[in-house]
Amino acid sequence: RMPVAVPAADRWQRSSAAFSLSFLALVFSVTAFSSSYWCEGTRKVAKPFCTGQSKGDNCIRFNSPDANNSNAVQYVWETGDDKFIDRKFHAGIWYSCEESISEEGEKCRSFIGLTPASDRGVLWLSIVAELLYIILLLIGAILMSVEMCYYSTVIDGLKINAFSAVVTVLAGLLGMVAHMMYTTVFQMTVNLGPEDWRPHTWDYGWSYCLAWTSFACCMAAAVTTINKYTKTILEFKHKRKMLERSLKLKYKFPDH
């Protein structure tokens, strides 16, 4: 068998495009997985009583001239919605944080602990799927980088190319399932979670968008890799056919 050469520059260009998409998907997924901005919103929190010299709209004031006197009758001016204040919160896979009323900064707690017991198993499945998604993306990116720098034979390059395509497609499927499971768990936590956590208004945050952008890059990398594999096979078969035809003409082989 005579080796058939596929243009190295064209092959490297396709490989680099797939590797770049896979690397972007890996960076986006790690960033989203470690952040707590998958969902953002506000919570209605009861105002604390004003103490000392504290004034403003963040606490409940009294009309008593001596608020520290326990014998004095204290009348609250705020009624209805005036007793509550909106506090921003953000939640991710690992923890949920909200603005603190009495002091600066945020107060965070484990999101796993906030999840209803009946949905905690689904959340753990989502976490495991996210971890596998990241691991497979890393394996796929490594295989693509090896294939980019591996120029010995076309056949060996195709083997690596095929394996990286399978790994990347599997990673994309796991990522899609993981994101959908987390979405379901969060919505159930909003409805059935602790009373002191349930949000008044909420929407998906930048981490959630980044996670789905990672999935889109992963699938684009898979499509690019499969397209490169198919195109290389077709080029290989076409050049082999042309070589056989030229040999037949040269040595006048019979058509049979």
Side-chain angles (χ1 to χ4, degrees), residues 179-237:
H179 303 342
M180 293 177 66
M181 284 194 296
Y182 177 80
T183 304
T184 303
V185 170
F186 185 84
Q187 291 175 351
M188 293 300 294
T189 306
V190 168
N191 296 326
L192 304 175
E195 289 285 349
D196 63 342
W197 177 85
R198 294 183 192 177
H200 180 64
T201 60
W202 66 276
D203 202 353
Y204 297 109
W206 63 266
S207 295
Y208 186 81
C209 298
L210 199 64
W212 281 109
T213 304
S214 170
F215 166 75
C217 290
C218 173
M219 297 311 295
V223 170
T224 304
T225 306
I226 294 171
N227 177 263
K228 174 182 176 296
Y229 177 83
T230 306
K231 191 171 182 180
T232 305
I233 288 291
L234 292 176
E235 288 177 352
F236 187 84
K237 289 183 177 180

Side-chain angles (χ1 to χ4, degrees), residues 11-25 137 140-141 144-145 147-148 161 164-165 168 217-218 220-228:
R11 185 177 68 173
W12 188 88
Q13 188 176 12
R14 293 180 223 160
S15 299
S16 61
F19 173 76
S20 300
L21 288 168
S22 182
F23 183 75
L24 277 178
L137 277 178
M144 290 177 190
S145 64
E147 198 267 335
M148 280 174 59
N161 190 238
S164 62
T168 309
C217 290
C218 173
V223 170
T224 304
T225 306
I226 294 171
N227 177 263
K228 174 182 176 296

